[in-house]
Amino acid sequence: MNKIEQRKHARLLFSAADQARALIEVPEQEIVTATVLDISESGIGLSLRQNEIFIDQGEHCIMIELRGLVGIHFDFGIEIEVRWLLNYEAMGLLALGCQFINIPPPIRSALRDFVARNLTT
């Protein structure tokens, strides 16, 4: 069984042209801007330049803002846990699969509606 078959929630994929970004606060490090690869009501896929931060699987960070996503916006911290990492050394990129932790029900609902709206358009 692959990871896609294990997903519980629909996810919306983004391309580089979408310019979707997330500001992530990594404990004891600086705030970094990551490219949003995908989003669902339960998590978010991110990409950032290698060596921009030190991060490991299981680490908890704070997503402090989403930018460039028309139809959904929040600018307060949501805890995320890094569930997996892929290091694309040849491209100088790090991909992260993150799960939202203790996300408020109204935000979860807004994300679910946002994904559903954009999957049908």
Side-chain angles (χ1 to χ4, degrees):
M1 181 181 292
N2 66 36
K3 287 190 180 288
I4 291 176
E5 292 170 351
Q6 293 176 355
R7 293 188 186 277
K8 296 177 186 171
H9 303 109
R11 68 183 172 136
L12 184 61
L13 304 176
F14 297 97
S15 71
D18 292 318
Q19 297 288 312
R21 304 283 186 260
L23 271 61
I24 307 296
E25 183 178 0
V26 182
E28 300 178 18
Q29 297 180 61
E30 59 190 67
I31 294 172
V32 296
T33 301
T35 299
V36 178
L37 302 173
D38 62 70
I39 196 166
S40 75
E41 69 179 88
S42 58
I44 190 166
L46 303 169
S47 168
L48 41 100
R49 287 187 310 276
Q50 235 176 11
N51 303 322
E52 192 168 1
I53 58 168
F54 176 78
I55 197 161
D56 206 355
Q57 185 173 342
E59 183 139 14
H60 285 232
C61 304
I62 303 294
M63 183 173 65
I64 57 175
E65 187 175 355
L66 277 177
R67 294 182 178 167
L69 302 182
V70 176
I72 191 163
H73 177 79
F74 57 88
D75 56 1
F76 56 89
I78 292 179
E79 185 178 1
I80 58 175
E81 178 184 346
V82 178
R83 299 296 302 242
W84 56 262
L85 299 152
L86 289 175
N87 190 347
Y88 294 102
E89 290 184 37
M91 297 174 62
L93 294 174
L94 185 64
L96 312 171
C98 302
Q99 179 179 1
F100 296 128
I101 304 296
N102 300 321
I103 189 168
I107 298 300
R108 180 180 292 274
S109 178
L111 283 166
R112 182 182 318 116
D113 293 346
F114 172 77
V115 169
R117 256 191 334 271
N118 286 282
L119 284 176
T120 60
T121 58

